[in-house]
Structures are given as C-alpha cells and as structure tokens.
Amino acid sequence: MSSFPVDLPEFPDEVVTEAYVRFVEPPGLGGRAALITLDNGYDHTKPTSMGPAGMRNLWAALDEALASDAKFVAVTGKPFIFLAGADIKMMPLLESREQGLAMAQAGHVLYKRLKDASVPTFAFINGTALGGGMELALHCHYRTVSASAVALGLPEVSIGLIPGWGGSQILPNLIGPEAAAQVIIGNPLNQNKMLRGPDLTKLGIADAQFEAADFIEESVAWATAVVNGEIAVERPEIDRGESWQAVVAGARKLVDEKIHNASPAAMKALDLLELARTASFEEGSLAEDEALADLEMAPEFKTSLYAFNLVRQLGKRPEGAPSPGLAKEIGKVGVVGAGLMAGQIALMFARRLEVPVVMTDLDAERAERGLEYVRGEIDKLEAKGRASRLKAAKLRSLVSASADKGVYADCDLVIEAVFEELKVKQAVFAEVEQVVSEECLLVTNTSGLSVTAMASKLARPERLVGMHFFNPVAVMPLVEVIATSSTDEETLATAYAVAKQLKKTAVGSADRPAFIVNRLLGRMLAEVTGAVDEGTPVEVADVALDRLGLPMRPFALLELVGLQVAWHLCAHLNEDLGPRFPLSANLRRLAEAEVPVFDPEAKGRGRLTEAGRALLEFGDKASTAGEVEHRVLAGLAEEVALMLDEGVVPGPRQIDLAMILGAGFPFWLGGLTPYLDRAGISTEVSGKPFAAMRE
C-alpha cells in the first residue's frame, strides 16, 4: 500500500471520513466491481467532509480497489450524503500559504487517480455533493445521480474561494463554459443557489438518473452495462473557439453589473474559466493550486468563515427562541389578503407545511385573482420539474380563496398580508378575532409597523406575533420574528417552529420601528438620497457603495421596493426615529410623480428616465463617491449602535445574520459589523469596535 504523497498538517479535531471498500459481483459483469463508500460515522445531519485523515483514507481505499481485479471502481456516500467537500472547520487552522498550497495539491493528487485510472470509474451521487465532493465526482469517468439528491454544486465563490480541486477546469470542458460559469460563479452569487439531482442530469454533469429507493442497485446495473459496451455515453463536443471567449466576456460583464467586481474569488474564477479553454489539465491544476493558496490567506476568505459559521450556527438555533416543545401543531392556515405578497405566502405554507391554506380578500373577484396567481405559480413549479404532477395537483387542492372571513373559523394560524397601514391591520385583526377559535395564532407580516399597537386592540393580545417575510418569499431565506411584551411563550415558540418548517432562518427582533433589515436599509437610503438632495449627482451617489459588492445599488433597490413604499418607509422612520431619517424632498417628488421615473428598458438597474431626472432638485454641496460611502457606513455604524442600545437584538451577530440573509450582504465581507470594525468606522463613530460584543 502506497503512502499519501503530500505532507499535510494534522488537525486533532477532524471528524474523520472513512473510505470503506466493498467488492460486489453484478449480474452480467463477469467479475467483480469495487464500491467505495465515504462515511464519517454520523447520520445525514453531520455531512461527510474531507480533511487530511479522510484524504489518506480515500488514498488507501483507491490503492486497494485499483490494485484488485475489479472491472470498475465506483464511489458513493452514506445515506443522503455523497461528500460535502473539504472540511471547512480546518480552514482557519491553516497557518501559512504553504499549508494552503499543500491542501490544494493534495486534492489534485488524490482525485487524479480516479481520472487516470486504467479501469472505468464511476461516481454514484446519492445525495449532497458540494465543492470538493462535486469535484471528486467530476474526476470520475461517469456519474449517476439520485433524483431526490439536493444541495449539489460548487459554492466556493460565495465564501471567497474557487473550486480548486479540478472543478474550474473539468466542468467547462464537460458541459461548456456558459453552463459552467453559471454553476461556478452565477449560482454562488445568487443567494448561493443549489442544484438538485434532475439539474445535474439536464446540465450533462450526470450521465444517468435513478430514483432514491434503489439508487445504488440501479447505478451498479447501469455501470455494468456501460463497461460491457451495452450503453454508450455520448457527450457534446465543446466549442473552444470564439464562442468560449464571448461567454467569458459576458460573464465578466455580469459580475461587474452584479457585484461590481468586489469579489476577488469571482474574478479569479473567471480567469480560471478562461484558462480552461486552452490549458492542459496539468496546467489548469497548477493554476488552481496557486489561486486557492492565495485566496485561503486573503482577508475575504477569513471573514467569510465568520459569516458561514454564523448562518450555520444561529440559523439552526435562533437565540431567544423558546423550547420547541411549546409549539402548537398547525393543521390549517388562513391568509388575509390575496395580493402578490399574500399569494406568495399562501403558496409557501402549502408547499412546506402541506396543510390547507385559505385566502380571503375584500370581494370574490379579488380573492379569485389571488388564487389564480397561486395556481399559476404551481404550474411553473411543475413545468420546471420542481414539483411532480401529483405534488402539483395536491398543492392546487390545498389552496382555496373566499370573500368570507368565516373560513378562518377552523384555522390554527391566520397571517395578514394587507396594505402596510396600522389602522388597516388593526381593523383586519378585529374582524378576524371575532371568527377564529381561542387557540388560533394571529400573525402579522408587517415590514416595520408596531406589533404592540396592533395587539393593543385585541381581546387576546398574547396570541399575536410578527413574522416579517422578505420579497420574493420563495427565495429570501430570512424571517424576522417579532414578539411584544404580551406575546406568550407558546405563540412565540410556534412562530419559530413554523419558520423552521418553512425552511426559513428566523432572527428575533424587539418591536422597534422597521425591526432590523429595513431599519438599516432605510438608513442607507436616507444617507444616499440625502447626499443627492444636497447636490451629489445621482450617478456618483448610486455607485458609492460598489466596493462592498452589494447585490443592488441604492436606486435599483428603490426601483425594486417601489418609490411609494420607500417614501412610506422614509416617512415612518422619520416620525418614529427622528432627523437621522430626513424626509428627502427628491424621494418624495419621485414617489408622487405621474410620469415613468425608471427606464423600463433598463428594468432592475435603477436608471432614471429623463422625466425622472427633471424632477430632481439639487443643493450646492456635492460629495464625492468616497465621501458618500463614508457617510453611509458611518450612518450604519451609528444605527447599529443605537439598535444594540435599544435591545432590538441580543448582539451584533443577529444584525450580521439578518443583513446577510435579508439584504444579501456578501459572505466575503464577513457581516456588517465586522466590516465596520475593519474599516475603522465603528470606532470612529462609537469609540469602540463591535468585536467584543460578538464574542
């Protein structure tokens, strides 16, 4: 048995992945096959990862398998998990660039044995395959995937790295540069979007797909047919000419537009994608080694680990949540309203809780329109393969609509999603409370109004809680949970339990104006529009935060949320929190305009029309982009400090988590408060960093 050829550091706390070799004799093969199973000894809640000891174990398993008389070698994982990539917990323990380089080289040396094997090699992707796990599969000659597999992809760019164990070179040469750019760069920058089993098949990453129930058996039979020549796997010929260069140029433009080239990892991934067109695999591997070693030592990766761990830890165990054992079972849900937000919420409850959901509105026509929207979204899910025909039919049967609020009589939870006006919401709850049972929970989806004020008009205020979902509901992972002084433990526990069932990350907030995310985004917009009012050109103010790589520039955000909504938020915060949120005269003019303000040909980019520009009035105090950036960051630092003093959240970590999940604050910045600390802004504004409060 050969020894592992790369000298790797030891990590005493490594959860070691074993590589078990089993020889099987499939019917028709005329010999044996070697099946290697990766398993760390835990169930699926602790995914298998690859550290130094695990790499040595896989090396030894390959020694045994490749030295045998096996006619093919296949790698798979424990139930529901193929391999979740490199052990992220060991990354902060790398003490030098040399150690990082050794880890990169080790991955290449290990996986290359599968690529260069003299017998066919297969990856049976039975479940989660991320990063180095997906790259292991890519090195195999053939791949099958379970139809039910989830959490598949190459997410490295989202945490400041690149796919450095072959992914940046193999994938574009397998499925083409355009699809590879989406998997390697586009998906990580889009809320770290994951792939599913059918996606791998459609992209051409997987050569065959089988149902989970008999996945290994079917994969072995399929591999046998491939080895026997009964099945020929055809792969597309990849054009490595001008079209590849055009794809890379287009990808660079998109990265510039999306994050303004603020992510070193995304830029390096683009370079490697371009290199893959002409480089040999060995040349590409060497480039990956150097890139990975550099990025592992870069501040963006170090800070992204804080964000990664924050999402993983606080996301699973929300601070301040009561015991889950106090939560009530939810068997039927009512949604007050049938507009866009209400429809999204209704569909989410039906999909995740799989219970009846009934919507109401002011009249039957509006209620029916809301129901048609939900049915249309279900049709889209079915067409995209996100819901089977039977699942789609079940969802349609679960959602109904009516103009009669009497349908809420047997609901266990009723959530309102009506116009953001306190008196309107109070009137809704007054009416609903007369209909529902004593045990029914009442939930408001308000984005910033006082939940306490709503509760004050109820006979039983203890059963009201806020759950603020973000738009688009199906995509945004955050829900802010807002309790009042009256909210009882059972109600609050149920809110957190429901958030978990909905596959959302809950962050608790005190009942203060605009809660967490909208308060901070409101302060950001107040500073930007304030600078414009004073005389800063829109073009300067709008790009002032580009260095942060936020998913939207300020005016694009205004276009998304709507000028009337933004003005309403501005006025609300000014009334409740004072002159830190000034009433922008220009924002008011744009919100009240009777002409198109945003250019429809540049939809989503926040570009003003000539008519919109003509509405603006400027002072004589223009700022530079750098001055606007400092002004915004100082304003955010002040607001965070005030929110902590008010007890809006227990500490800075909750603010960081909410901004990452609710505002798209990039992982590589490491959270809002660490970024303010590194920039020296928190000390400048408050006299001390937020670091001590995060510990």
Side-chain angles (χ1 to χ4, degrees):
M1 184 175 292
S2 61
S3 60
F4 196 74
V6 180
D7 185 22
L8 293 175
E10 298 290 339
F11 296 103
D13 294 332
E14 177 184 349
V15 178
V16 178
T17 291
E18 302 292 343
Y20 299 105
V21 182
R22 177 165 60 101
F23 291 96
V24 296
E25 295 187 16
L29 182 62
R32 300 194 301 170
L35 182 63
I36 300 173
T37 302
L38 304 174
D39 192 341
N40 63 1
Y42 293 87
D43 66 16
H44 68 279
T45 61
K46 197 162 192 173
T48 309
S49 59
M50 193 64 76
M55 297 175 91
R56 286 189 283 268
N57 288 338
L58 179 54
W59 182 272
L62 289 172
D63 270 350
E64 181 180 355
L66 294 173
S68 72
D69 60 353
K71 291 183 176 292
F72 70 82
V73 175
V75 182
T76 192
K78 68 183 184 183
F80 309 110
I81 308 290
F82 180 73
L83 179 64
D87 187 349
I88 198 82
K89 297 189 298 300
M90 72 182 181
M91 296 298 188
L93 304 178
L94 295 174
E95 297 176 351
S96 65
R97 186 183 185 280
E98 288 69 29
Q99 287 187 343
L101 183 62
M103 283 298 299
Q105 293 169 336
H108 279 120
V109 169
L110 175 62
Y111 288 178
K112 196 169 182 290
R113 298 188 73 186
L114 290 162
K115 183 175 181 293
D116 294 346
S118 59
V119 296
T121 58
F122 296 81
F124 297 161
I125 307 171
N126 62 304
T128 296
L130 294 170
M134 181 61 70
E135 289 172 301
L136 186 156
L138 288 172
H139 277 77
C140 293
H141 302 149
Y142 307 96
R143 287 156 293 280
T144 65
V145 69
S146 169
S148 63
V150 295
L152 309 169
L154 295 170
E156 287 90 343
V157 166
S158 71
I159 58 169
L161 297 177
I162 49 97
W165 284 351
S168 77
Q169 303 302 293
I170 297 176
L171 191 62
N173 284 296
L174 176 68
I175 64 174
E178 185 172 7
Q182 185 61 43
V183 174
I184 294 171
I185 302 163
N187 288 351
L189 296 181
N190 183 22
Q191 295 281 335
N192 202 16
K193 181 181 178 181
M194 293 284 110
L195 301 172
R196 297 167 179 261
D199 298 323
L200 257 60
T201 308
K202 184 177 180 181
L203 286 168
I205 296 174
D207 301 307
Q209 175 180 305
F210 302 108
E211 295 301 320
D214 52 0
F215 174 71
I216 296 297
E217 293 83 352
E218 289 292 332
S219 293
V220 168
W222 181 85
T224 299
V226 170
V227 172
N228 288 341
E230 298 163 8
I231 292 177
V233 175
E234 296 182 3
R235 303 223 170 92
E237 184 176 344
I238 305 301
D239 183 354
R240 294 178 178 80
E242 292 182 2
S243 64
W244 188 305
Q245 294 168 298
V247 165
V248 174
R252 290 190 186 279
K253 183 179 179 182
L254 287 173
V255 170
D256 182 23
E257 291 176 352
K258 188 172 183 66
I259 59 167
H260 324 303
N261 298 331
S263 164
M267 303 310 295
K268 182 57 68 175
L270 283 166
D271 292 342
L272 290 167
L273 183 67
E274 187 169 16
L275 179 68
R277 182 176 73 91
T278 57
S280 68
F281 184 70
E282 288 69 24
E283 291 169 337
S285 296
L286 290 173
E288 282 185 339
D289 289 342
E290 297 297 327
L292 195 56
D294 287 341
L295 290 170
E296 283 172 340
M297 296 297 110
E300 287 81 6
F301 174 59
K302 301 294 185 184
T303 55
S304 70
L305 286 178
Y306 163 76
F308 176 84
N309 289 323
L310 187 68
V311 170
R312 185 172 60 176
Q313 294 167 7
L314 281 187
K316 290 181 179 178
R317 296 181 295 277
E319 193 161 335
S323 169
L326 296 173
K328 293 181 177 181
E329 290 288 329
I330 303 299
K332 183 179 179 181
V333 173
V335 179
V336 186
L340 178 60
M341 194 69 176
Q344 292 182 73
I345 289 173
L347 178 57
M348 174 182 62
F349 272 93
R351 287 186 71 191
R352 300 305 185 197
L353 270 61
E354 297 189 349
V355 299
V357 178
V358 57
M359 308 164 66
T360 69
D361 213 314
L362 296 175
D363 54 54
E365 183 181 350
R366 295 183 191 186
E368 185 61 27
R369 279 203 304 267
L371 183 59
E372 285 303 312
Y373 165 79
V374 173
R375 288 173 175 166
E377 292 300 297
I378 295 171
D379 291 343
K380 291 178 185 177
L381 290 173
E382 184 178 4
K384 293 177 181 178
R386 303 298 298 271
S388 67
R389 183 174 59 83
L390 291 176
K391 176 74 171 180
K394 180 178 180 180
L395 289 176
R396 293 186 194 98
S397 70
L398 287 174
V399 184
S400 59
S402 173
D404 179 11
K405 290 187 174 62
V407 294
Y408 297 144
D410 58 345
C411 284
D412 302 298
L413 181 154
V414 174
I415 180 171
E416 66 77 21
V418 299
F419 184 68
E420 193 73 353
E421 179 64 50
L422 180 60
K423 290 183 179 179
V424 173
K425 293 181 185 289
Q426 287 176 330
V428 162
F429 281 126
E431 188 176 357
V432 169
E433 194 175 30
Q434 300 301 313
V435 177
V436 298
S437 69
E438 289 291 312
E439 292 74 30
C440 181
L441 267 68
L442 301 180
V443 180
T444 173
N445 181 49
T446 179
S447 59
L449 297 176
S450 171
V451 182
T452 300
M454 293 180 214
S456 68
K457 303 294 184 180
L458 293 175
R460 290 190 54 205
E462 69 275 6
R463 61 169 163 175
L464 178 66
V465 67
M467 294 184 74
H468 174 212
F469 296 98
F470 289 75
N471 191 24
V473 174
V475 176
M476 300 301 288
L478 179 69
V479 56
E480 293 174 333
V481 175
I482 305 98
T484 72
S485 59
S486 301
T487 306
D488 63 27
E489 290 285 281
E490 189 177 50
T491 297
L492 190 57
T494 305
Y496 279 104
V498 167
K500 186 174 183 179
Q501 288 177 279
L502 295 173
K503 298 187 178 181
K504 301 294 184 185
T505 297
V507 177
S509 170
D511 188 19
R512 294 289 296 153
F515 315 131
I516 307 169
V517 174
N518 282 352
R519 178 164 169 178
L520 290 167
L521 290 181
R523 183 65 188 267
M524 179 190 79
L525 292 174
E527 299 297 345
V528 171
T529 55
V532 172
D533 288 354
E534 291 171 3
T536 305
V538 171
E539 293 79 4
V540 174
D542 200 33
V543 301
L545 302 178
D546 278 6
R547 285 199 309 160
L548 278 68
L550 299 177
M552 284 189 177
R553 286 176 172 148
F555 276 78
L557 181 60
L558 286 172
E559 182 181 2
L560 175 70
V561 302
L563 288 163
Q564 291 79 11
V565 173
W567 171 247
H568 184 81
L569 174 66
C570 174
H572 167 54
L573 289 171
N574 173 265
E575 180 181 353
D576 287 339
L577 298 175
R580 298 195 312 280
F581 296 86
L583 295 172
S584 167
N586 278 320
L587 180 58
R588 178 180 56 79
R589 291 187 193 96
L590 294 175
E592 295 175 354
E594 297 181 357
V595 296
V597 169
F598 289 111
D599 185 351
E601 294 185 4
K603 188 174 182 180
R605 297 183 185 178
R607 183 189 299 168
L608 294 177
T609 61
E610 289 302 317
R613 289 177 178 278
L615 295 170
L616 301 178
E617 296 181 7
F618 298 95
D620 58 3
K621 185 185 175 185
S623 299
T624 66
E627 288 169 338
V628 176
E629 178 191 49
H630 184 272
R631 172 177 178 162
V632 171
L633 294 177
L636 290 173
E638 180 185 29
E639 208 59 40
V640 168
L642 290 168
M643 291 167 70
L644 295 174
D645 287 344
E646 295 169 19
V648 175
V649 288
R653 297 200 308 157
Q654 285 74 24
I655 285 176
D656 294 332
L657 181 62
M659 292 300 284
I660 289 167
L661 299 181
F665 205 82
F667 266 40
W668 65 81
L669 292 182
L672 176 59
T673 67
Y675 183 79
L676 293 172
D677 283 355
R678 291 196 308 279
I681 303 292
S682 48
T683 300
E684 175 188 327
V685 171
S686 303
K688 58 183 179 181
F690 295 114
M693 301 179 69
R694 287 195 299 271
E695 297 172 355

